[in-house]
PDB file of all heavy atoms in Angstrom:
ATOM      1  N   CYS A  17      26.445  19.682 -51.942  1.00 83.00           N
ATOM      2  CA  CYS A  17      25.640  19.193 -50.902  1.00 83.00           C
ATOM      3  C   CYS A  17      24.317  18.702 -51.466  1.00 83.00           C
ATOM      4  O   CYS A  17      23.670  19.342 -52.142  1.00 83.00           O
ATOM      5  CB  CYS A  17      25.303  20.360 -49.937  1.00 83.00           C
ATOM      6  SG  CYS A  17      26.814  20.894 -49.140  1.00 83.00           S
ATOM      7  N   ALA A  18      24.048  17.408 -51.102  1.00 77.00           N
ATOM      8  CA  ALA A  18      22.739  16.776 -51.519  1.00 77.00           C
ATOM      9  C   ALA A  18      21.814  16.669 -50.244  1.00 77.00           C
ATOM     10  O   ALA A  18      22.296  16.422 -49.210  1.00 77.00           O
ATOM     11  CB  ALA A  18      22.949  15.456 -52.171  1.00 77.00           C
ATOM     12  N   SER A  19      20.562  16.763 -50.612  1.00 75.00           N
ATOM     13  CA  SER A  19      19.544  16.603 -49.561  1.00 75.00           C
ATOM     14  C   SER A  19      19.756  15.195 -48.924  1.00 75.00           C
ATOM     15  O   SER A  19      19.894  14.286 -49.612  1.00 75.00           O
ATOM     16  CB  SER A  19      18.169  16.736 -50.015  1.00 75.00           C
ATOM     17  OG  SER A  19      17.199  16.238 -49.100  1.00 75.00           O
ATOM     18  N   SER A  20      19.881  15.112 -47.620  1.00 71.00           N
ATOM     19  CA  SER A  20      20.207  13.837 -47.005  1.00 71.00           C
ATOM     20  C   SER A  20      18.957  12.932 -47.079  1.00 71.00           C
ATOM     21  O   SER A  20      19.065  11.820 -46.710  1.00 71.00           O
ATOM     22  CB  SER A  20      20.586  14.117 -45.467  1.00 71.00           C
ATOM     23  OG  SER A  20      19.537  14.669 -44.788  1.00 71.00           O
ATOM     24  N   MET A  21      17.889  13.474 -47.561  1.00 69.00           N
ATOM     25  CA  MET A  21      16.722  12.650 -47.761  1.00 69.00           C
ATOM     26  C   MET A  21      16.655  12.239 -49.260  1.00 69.00           C
ATOM     27  O   MET A  21      15.679  12.369 -49.906  1.00 69.00           O
ATOM     28  CB  MET A  21      15.368  13.395 -47.456  1.00 69.00           C
ATOM     29  CG  MET A  21      15.268  13.739 -45.942  1.00 69.00           C
ATOM     30  SD  MET A  21      14.809  12.190 -45.052  1.00 69.00           S
ATOM     31  CE  MET A  21      13.036  12.121 -45.473  1.00 69.00           C
ATOM     32  N   THR A  22      17.735  11.605 -49.648  1.00 72.00           N
ATOM     33  CA  THR A  22      17.741  11.203 -51.109  1.00 72.00           C
ATOM     34  C   THR A  22      16.869   9.940 -51.301  1.00 72.00           C
ATOM     35  O   THR A  22      16.606   9.318 -50.337  1.00 72.00           O
ATOM     36  CB  THR A  22      19.204  10.880 -51.596  1.00 72.00           C
ATOM     37  OG1 THR A  22      19.696   9.884 -50.676  1.00 72.00           O
ATOM     38  CG2 THR A  22      20.045  12.104 -51.588  1.00 72.00           C
ATOM     39  N   CYS A  23      16.512   9.694 -52.526  1.00 71.00           N
ATOM     40  CA  CYS A  23      15.704   8.586 -52.849  1.00 71.00           C
ATOM     41  C   CYS A  23      16.234   7.271 -52.219  1.00 71.00           C
ATOM     42  O   CYS A  23      15.468   6.464 -51.727  1.00 71.00           O
ATOM     43  CB  CYS A  23      15.562   8.365 -54.390  1.00 71.00           C
ATOM     44  SG  CYS A  23      14.411   9.662 -55.101  1.00 71.00           S
ATOM     45  N   ALA A  24      17.461   7.012 -52.388  1.00 69.00           N
ATOM     46  CA  ALA A  24      18.095   5.790 -51.810  1.00 69.00           C
ATOM     47  C   ALA A  24      17.868   5.695 -50.294  1.00 69.00           C
ATOM     48  O   ALA A  24      17.591   4.618 -49.823  1.00 69.00           O
ATOM     49  CB  ALA A  24      19.577   5.754 -52.097  1.00 69.00           C
ATOM     50  N   MET A  25      17.972   6.813 -49.619  1.00 74.00           N
ATOM     51  CA  MET A  25      17.792   6.700 -48.185  1.00 74.00           C
ATOM     52  C   MET A  25      16.376   6.573 -47.762  1.00 74.00           C
ATOM     53  O   MET A  25      16.028   5.937 -46.698  1.00 74.00           O
ATOM     54  CB  MET A  25      18.408   8.040 -47.545  1.00 74.00           C
ATOM     55  CG  MET A  25      19.938   8.110 -47.765  1.00 74.00           C
ATOM     56  SD  MET A  25      20.468   9.643 -47.185  1.00 74.00           S
ATOM     57  CE  MET A  25      20.599   9.220 -45.394  1.00 74.00           C
ATOM     58  N   VAL A  26      15.483   7.079 -48.557  1.00 78.00           N
ATOM     59  CA  VAL A  26      14.019   6.980 -48.253  1.00 78.00           C
ATOM     60  C   VAL A  26      13.485   5.703 -48.564  1.00 78.00           C
ATOM     61  O   VAL A  26      12.522   5.159 -47.830  1.00 78.00           O
ATOM     62  CB  VAL A  26      13.129   8.078 -49.137  1.00 78.00           C
ATOM     63  CG1 VAL A  26      11.710   7.886 -48.826  1.00 78.00           C
ATOM     64  CG2 VAL A  26      13.609   9.415 -48.762  1.00 78.00           C
ATOM     65  N   ASN A  27      14.090   4.960 -49.391  1.00 80.00           N
ATOM     66  CA  ASN A  27      13.926   3.580 -49.745  1.00 80.00           C
ATOM     67  C   ASN A  27      12.433   3.370 -50.267  1.00 80.00           C
ATOM     68  O   ASN A  27      11.588   2.636 -49.647  1.00 80.00           O
ATOM     69  CB  ASN A  27      14.151   2.711 -48.477  1.00 80.00           C
ATOM     70  CG  ASN A  27      14.260   1.195 -48.788  1.00 80.00           C
ATOM     71  OD1 ASN A  27      14.406   0.794 -49.908  1.00 80.00           O
ATOM     72  ND2 ASN A  27      14.210   0.324 -47.779  1.00 80.00           N
ATOM     73  N   CYS A  28      12.105   4.123 -51.389  1.00 83.00           N
ATOM     74  CA  CYS A  28      10.751   3.997 -52.024  1.00 83.00           C
ATOM     75  C   CYS A  28      10.711   2.692 -52.811  1.00 83.00           C
ATOM     76  O   CYS A  28      11.727   2.197 -53.294  1.00 83.00           O
ATOM     77  CB  CYS A  28      10.544   5.214 -52.921  1.00 83.00           C
ATOM     78  SG  CYS A  28      10.509   6.757 -52.083  1.00 83.00           S
ATOM     79  N   GLN A  29       9.531   2.071 -52.816  1.00 84.00           N
ATOM     80  CA  GLN A  29       9.340   0.887 -53.610  1.00 84.00           C
ATOM     81  C   GLN A  29       9.478   1.228 -55.164  1.00 84.00           C
ATOM     82  O   GLN A  29       9.964   0.317 -55.816  1.00 84.00           O
ATOM     83  CB  GLN A  29       7.845   0.353 -53.248  1.00 84.00           C
ATOM     84  CG  GLN A  29       7.652  -0.971 -53.926  1.00 84.00           C
ATOM     85  CD  GLN A  29       6.251  -1.468 -53.605  1.00 84.00           C
ATOM     86  OE1 GLN A  29       5.339  -0.696 -53.094  1.00 84.00           O
ATOM     87  NE2 GLN A  29       5.930  -2.775 -53.796  1.00 84.00           N
ATOM     88  N   TYR A  30       8.947   2.307 -55.664  1.00 81.00           N
ATOM     89  CA  TYR A  30       9.005   2.586 -57.095  1.00 81.00           C
ATOM     90  C   TYR A  30       9.661   3.760 -57.396  1.00 81.00           C
ATOM     91  O   TYR A  30       9.385   4.424 -58.406  1.00 81.00           O
ATOM     92  CB  TYR A  30       7.592   2.607 -57.686  1.00 81.00           C
ATOM     93  CG  TYR A  30       6.831   1.297 -57.559  1.00 81.00           C
ATOM     94  CD1 TYR A  30       5.872   1.035 -56.702  1.00 81.00           C
ATOM     95  CD2 TYR A  30       7.217   0.212 -58.474  1.00 81.00           C
ATOM     96  CE1 TYR A  30       5.170  -0.137 -56.543  1.00 81.00           C
ATOM     97  CE2 TYR A  30       6.487  -0.963 -58.443  1.00 81.00           C
ATOM     98  CZ  TYR A  30       5.510  -1.197 -57.545  1.00 81.00           C
ATOM     99  OH  TYR A  30       4.808  -2.435 -57.431  1.00 81.00           O
ATOM    100  N   GLY A  31      10.611   4.321 -56.593  1.00 76.00           N
ATOM    101  CA  GLY A  31      11.380   5.528 -56.983  1.00 76.00           C
ATOM    102  C   GLY A  31      10.641   6.783 -56.364  1.00 76.00           C
ATOM    103  O   GLY A  31       9.500   6.679 -55.827  1.00 76.00           O
ATOM    104  N   CYS A  32      11.241   7.945 -56.493  1.00 79.00           N
ATOM    105  CA  CYS A  32      10.638   9.150 -55.866  1.00 79.00           C
ATOM    106  C   CYS A  32      11.108  10.372 -56.669  1.00 79.00           C
ATOM    107  O   CYS A  32      11.847  10.359 -57.640  1.00 79.00           O
ATOM    108  CB  CYS A  32      11.116   9.229 -54.468  1.00 79.00           C
ATOM    109  SG  CYS A  32      12.816   9.603 -54.273  1.00 79.00           S
ATOM    110  N   GLU A  33      10.531  11.566 -56.190  1.00 75.00           N
ATOM    111  CA  GLU A  33      10.921  12.811 -56.794  1.00 75.00           C
ATOM    112  C   GLU A  33      11.109  13.784 -55.673  1.00 75.00           C
ATOM    113  O   GLU A  33      10.547  13.547 -54.576  1.00 75.00           O
ATOM    114  CB  GLU A  33       9.803  13.347 -57.692  1.00 75.00           C
ATOM    115  CG  GLU A  33       8.449  13.535 -57.046  1.00 75.00           C
ATOM    116  CD  GLU A  33       7.384  14.031 -57.953  1.00 75.00           C
ATOM    117  OE1 GLU A  33       7.678  14.303 -59.207  1.00 75.00           O
ATOM    118  OE2 GLU A  33       6.196  14.106 -57.446  1.00 75.00           O
ATOM    119  N   GLU A  34      11.813  14.849 -55.912  1.00 73.00           N
ATOM    120  CA  GLU A  34      11.970  15.943 -54.996  1.00 73.00           C
ATOM    121  C   GLU A  34      11.131  17.099 -55.220  1.00 73.00           C
ATOM    122  O   GLU A  34      11.111  17.585 -56.299  1.00 73.00           O
ATOM    123  CB  GLU A  34      13.484  16.268 -54.947  1.00 73.00           C
ATOM    124  CG  GLU A  34      14.178  15.974 -53.609  1.00 73.00           C
ATOM    125  CD  GLU A  34      15.603  16.425 -53.586  1.00 73.00           C
ATOM    126  OE1 GLU A  34      15.767  17.680 -53.219  1.00 73.00           O
ATOM    127  OE2 GLU A  34      16.486  15.661 -53.995  1.00 73.00           O
ATOM    128  N   VAL A  35      10.285  17.458 -54.255  1.00 70.00           N
ATOM    129  CA  VAL A  35       9.329  18.532 -54.467  1.00 70.00           C
ATOM    130  C   VAL A  35       9.724  19.583 -53.327  1.00 70.00           C
ATOM    131  O   VAL A  35       9.530  19.264 -52.110  1.00 70.00           O
ATOM    132  CB  VAL A  35       7.910  18.130 -54.436  1.00 70.00           C
ATOM    133  CG1 VAL A  35       6.958  19.311 -54.622  1.00 70.00           C
ATOM    134  CG2 VAL A  35       7.610  16.986 -55.416  1.00 70.00           C
ATOM    135  N   LYS A  36      10.115  20.770 -53.762  1.00 71.00           N
ATOM    136  CA  LYS A  36      10.483  21.793 -52.773  1.00 71.00           C
ATOM    137  C   LYS A  36      11.403  21.282 -51.639  1.00 71.00           C
ATOM    138  O   LYS A  36      11.131  21.465 -50.430  1.00 71.00           O
ATOM    139  CB  LYS A  36       9.238  22.444 -52.164  1.00 71.00           C
ATOM    140  CG  LYS A  36       8.340  23.164 -53.215  1.00 71.00           C
ATOM    141  CD  LYS A  36       7.085  23.663 -52.626  1.00 71.00           C
ATOM    142  CE  LYS A  36       6.183  24.312 -53.680  1.00 71.00           C
ATOM    143  NZ  LYS A  36       4.784  24.344 -53.332  1.00 71.00           N
ATOM    144  N   GLY A  37      12.409  20.544 -52.038  1.00 67.00           N
ATOM    145  CA  GLY A  37      13.344  20.052 -51.075  1.00 67.00           C
ATOM    146  C   GLY A  37      12.960  18.839 -50.273  1.00 67.00           C
ATOM    147  O   GLY A  37      13.662  18.336 -49.432  1.00 67.00           O
ATOM    148  N   GLU A  38      11.667  18.419 -50.593  1.00 76.00           N
ATOM    149  CA  GLU A  38      11.202  17.225 -49.783  1.00 76.00           C
ATOM    150  C   GLU A  38      11.142  16.111 -50.791  1.00 76.00           C
ATOM    151  O   GLU A  38      10.677  16.200 -51.907  1.00 76.00           O
ATOM    152  CB  GLU A  38       9.813  17.528 -49.171  1.00 76.00           C
ATOM    153  CG  GLU A  38       9.992  17.971 -47.724  1.00 76.00           C
ATOM    154  CD  GLU A  38       8.523  18.036 -47.193  1.00 76.00           C
ATOM    155  OE1 GLU A  38       7.733  17.056 -47.220  1.00 76.00           O
ATOM    156  OE2 GLU A  38       8.177  19.050 -46.529  1.00 76.00           O
ATOM    157  N   VAL A  39      11.488  14.939 -50.220  1.00 79.00           N
ATOM    158  CA  VAL A  39      11.391  13.681 -51.083  1.00 79.00           C
ATOM    159  C   VAL A  39      10.081  12.994 -50.917  1.00 79.00           C
ATOM    160  O   VAL A  39       9.610  12.791 -49.803  1.00 79.00           O
ATOM    161  CB  VAL A  39      12.568  12.724 -50.660  1.00 79.00           C
ATOM    162  CG1 VAL A  39      12.361  11.435 -51.341  1.00 79.00           C
ATOM    163  CG2 VAL A  39      13.831  13.374 -51.045  1.00 79.00           C
ATOM    164  N   GLN A  40       9.383  12.686 -51.939  1.00 83.00           N
ATOM    165  CA  GLN A  40       8.137  12.030 -52.096  1.00 83.00           C
ATOM    166  C   GLN A  40       8.220  10.758 -52.906  1.00 83.00           C
ATOM    167  O   GLN A  40       8.751  10.772 -54.030  1.00 83.00           O
ATOM    168  CB  GLN A  40       7.008  12.919 -52.689  1.00 83.00           C
ATOM    169  CG  GLN A  40       6.617  13.974 -51.752  1.00 83.00           C
ATOM    170  CD  GLN A  40       5.496  14.770 -52.405  1.00 83.00           C
ATOM    171  OE1 GLN A  40       5.371  14.971 -53.657  1.00 83.00           O
ATOM    172  NE2 GLN A  40       4.605  15.348 -51.570  1.00 83.00           N
ATOM    173  N   CYS A  41       7.677   9.615 -52.381  1.00 86.00           N
ATOM    174  CA  CYS A  41       7.702   8.416 -53.081  1.00 86.00           C
ATOM    175  C   CYS A  41       6.585   8.446 -54.152  1.00 86.00           C
ATOM    176  O   CYS A  41       5.681   9.177 -53.983  1.00 86.00           O
ATOM    177  CB  CYS A  41       7.431   7.197 -52.124  1.00 86.00           C
ATOM    178  SG  CYS A  41       8.883   6.887 -51.045  1.00 86.00           S
ATOM    179  N   LEU A  42       6.855   7.695 -55.196  1.00 84.00           N
ATOM    180  CA  LEU A  42       5.896   7.710 -56.332  1.00 84.00           C
ATOM    181  C   LEU A  42       5.326   6.366 -56.582  1.00 84.00           C
ATOM    182  O   LEU A  42       5.909   5.346 -56.203  1.00 84.00           O
ATOM    183  CB  LEU A  42       6.626   8.156 -57.618  1.00 84.00           C
ATOM    184  CG  LEU A  42       7.276   9.545 -57.690  1.00 84.00           C
ATOM    185  CD1 LEU A  42       8.020   9.696 -58.954  1.00 84.00           C
ATOM    186  CD2 LEU A  42       6.112  10.539 -57.685  1.00 84.00           C
ATOM    187  N   CYS A  43       4.157   6.283 -57.073  1.00 86.00           N
ATOM    188  CA  CYS A  43       3.459   5.041 -57.644  1.00 86.00           C
ATOM    189  C   CYS A  43       3.434   5.042 -59.086  1.00 86.00           C
ATOM    190  O   CYS A  43       2.939   6.067 -59.591  1.00 86.00           O
ATOM    191  CB  CYS A  43       2.109   4.834 -56.794  1.00 86.00           C
ATOM    192  SG  CYS A  43       2.298   4.507 -55.149  1.00 86.00           S
ATOM    193  N   PRO A  44       3.750   3.895 -59.682  1.00 78.00           N
ATOM    194  CA  PRO A  44       3.687   3.917 -61.171  1.00 78.00           C
ATOM    195  C   PRO A  44       2.460   4.029 -61.942  1.00 78.00           C
ATOM    196  O   PRO A  44       2.398   4.129 -63.132  1.00 78.00           O
ATOM    197  CB  PRO A  44       4.508   2.634 -61.597  1.00 78.00           C
ATOM    198  CG  PRO A  44       4.245   1.754 -60.369  1.00 78.00           C
ATOM    199  CD  PRO A  44       4.125   2.628 -59.150  1.00 78.00           C
ATOM    200  N   SER A  45       1.279   3.763 -61.222  1.00 78.00           N
ATOM    201  CA  SER A  45      -0.004   3.818 -61.861  1.00 78.00           C
ATOM    202  C   SER A  45      -1.040   4.529 -61.033  1.00 78.00           C
ATOM    203  O   SER A  45      -0.947   4.585 -59.777  1.00 78.00           O
ATOM    204  CB  SER A  45      -0.425   2.361 -62.147  1.00 78.00           C
ATOM    205  OG  SER A  45      -1.601   1.987 -61.606  1.00 78.00           O
ATOM    206  N   GLY A  46      -2.108   5.029 -61.637  1.00 83.00           N
ATOM    207  CA  GLY A  46      -3.161   5.724 -60.894  1.00 83.00           C
ATOM    208  C   GLY A  46      -4.030   4.765 -60.136  1.00 83.00           C
ATOM    209  O   GLY A  46      -4.797   5.216 -59.325  1.00 83.00           O
ATOM    210  N   GLY A  47      -3.852   3.494 -60.409  1.00 86.00           N
ATOM    211  CA  GLY A  47      -4.596   2.473 -59.583  1.00 86.00           C
ATOM    212  C   GLY A  47      -3.912   2.075 -58.339  1.00 86.00           C
ATOM    213  O   GLY A  47      -4.275   1.092 -57.584  1.00 86.00           O
ATOM    214  N   LEU A  48      -2.833   2.785 -57.970  1.00 90.00           N
ATOM    215  CA  LEU A  48      -1.996   2.525 -56.824  1.00 90.00           C
ATOM    216  C   LEU A  48      -1.921   3.841 -55.983  1.00 90.00           C
ATOM    217  O   LEU A  48      -1.932   4.894 -56.494  1.00 90.00           O
ATOM    218  CB  LEU A  48      -0.569   2.027 -57.060  1.00 90.00           C
ATOM    219  CG  LEU A  48      -0.442   0.769 -57.842  1.00 90.00           C
ATOM    220  CD1 LEU A  48       0.979   0.477 -58.266  1.00 90.00           C
ATOM    221  CD2 LEU A  48      -0.950  -0.459 -57.055  1.00 90.00           C
ATOM    222  N   GLN A  49      -1.896   3.609 -54.648  1.00 91.00           N
ATOM    223  CA  GLN A  49      -1.705   4.857 -53.757  1.00 91.00           C
ATOM    224  C   GLN A  49      -0.630   4.545 -52.737  1.00 91.00           C
ATOM    225  O   GLN A  49      -0.435   3.325 -52.379  1.00 91.00           O
ATOM    226  CB  GLN A  49      -3.062   5.238 -53.136  1.00 91.00           C
ATOM    227  CG  GLN A  49      -3.618   4.190 -52.205  1.00 91.00           C
ATOM    228  CD  GLN A  49      -4.987   4.538 -51.706  1.00 91.00           C
ATOM    229  OE1 GLN A  49      -5.638   5.440 -52.214  1.00 91.00           O
ATOM    230  NE2 GLN A  49      -5.525   3.758 -50.829  1.00 91.00           N
ATOM    231  N   LEU A  50      -0.052   5.581 -52.222  1.00 92.00           N
ATOM    232  CA  LEU A  50       0.904   5.432 -51.188  1.00 92.00           C
ATOM    233  C   LEU A  50       0.432   4.782 -49.878  1.00 92.00           C
ATOM    234  O   LEU A  50      -0.620   5.253 -49.458  1.00 92.00           O
ATOM    235  CB  LEU A  50       1.655   6.700 -50.855  1.00 92.00           C
ATOM    236  CG  LEU A  50       2.878   7.152 -51.763  1.00 92.00           C
ATOM    237  CD1 LEU A  50       3.402   8.439 -51.265  1.00 92.00           C
ATOM    238  CD2 LEU A  50       3.908   6.055 -51.825  1.00 92.00           C
ATOM    239  N   GLY A  51       1.044   3.864 -49.409  1.00 92.00           N
ATOM    240  CA  GLY A  51       0.533   3.253 -48.084  1.00 92.00           C
ATOM    241  C   GLY A  51       0.834   4.110 -46.916  1.00 92.00           C
ATOM    242  O   GLY A  51       1.527   5.143 -47.040  1.00 92.00           O
ATOM    243  N   PRO A  52       0.489   3.652 -45.824  1.00 93.00           N
ATOM    244  CA  PRO A  52       0.644   4.377 -44.518  1.00 93.00           C
ATOM    245  C   PRO A  52       2.097   4.794 -44.265  1.00 93.00           C
ATOM    246  O   PRO A  52       2.458   5.844 -43.675  1.00 93.00           O
ATOM    247  CB  PRO A  52       0.030   3.535 -43.455  1.00 93.00           C
ATOM    248  CG  PRO A  52      -0.868   2.588 -44.111  1.00 93.00           C
ATOM    249  CD  PRO A  52      -0.156   2.336 -45.544  1.00 93.00           C
ATOM    250  N   ASN A  53       2.980   3.922 -44.696  1.00 90.00           N
ATOM    251  CA  ASN A  53       4.470   4.170 -44.443  1.00 90.00           C
ATOM    252  C   ASN A  53       5.006   5.240 -45.474  1.00 90.00           C
ATOM    253  O   ASN A  53       6.239   5.524 -45.260  1.00 90.00           O
ATOM    254  CB  ASN A  53       5.290   2.928 -44.452  1.00 90.00           C
ATOM    255  CG  ASN A  53       5.249   2.143 -45.818  1.00 90.00           C
ATOM    256  OD1 ASN A  53       4.827   2.713 -46.891  1.00 90.00           O
ATOM    257  ND2 ASN A  53       5.895   0.980 -45.849  1.00 90.00           N
TER     258      ASN A  53
END
């Protein structure tokens, strides 16, 4: 059983990671931040 909030389903611009069962999108550089979406 895989979390239904997998990276592919979340549709992150630059990939993501799972933290405590929650999917979070990542930004590849410190000069970028996650947008409102």
Side-chain angles (χ1 to χ4, degrees):
C17 294
S19 170
S20 59
M21 290 288 283
T22 55
C23 286
M25 293 175 82
V26 176
N27 198 15
C28 293
Q29 186 179 13
Y30 293 106
C32 70
E33 63 179 353
E34 247 183 84
V35 183
K36 294 174 186 161
E38 263 188 52
V39 171
Q40 282 181 331
C41 292
L42 297 172
C43 289
S45 118
L48 296 172
Q49 63 187 10
L50 275 181
N53 63 6

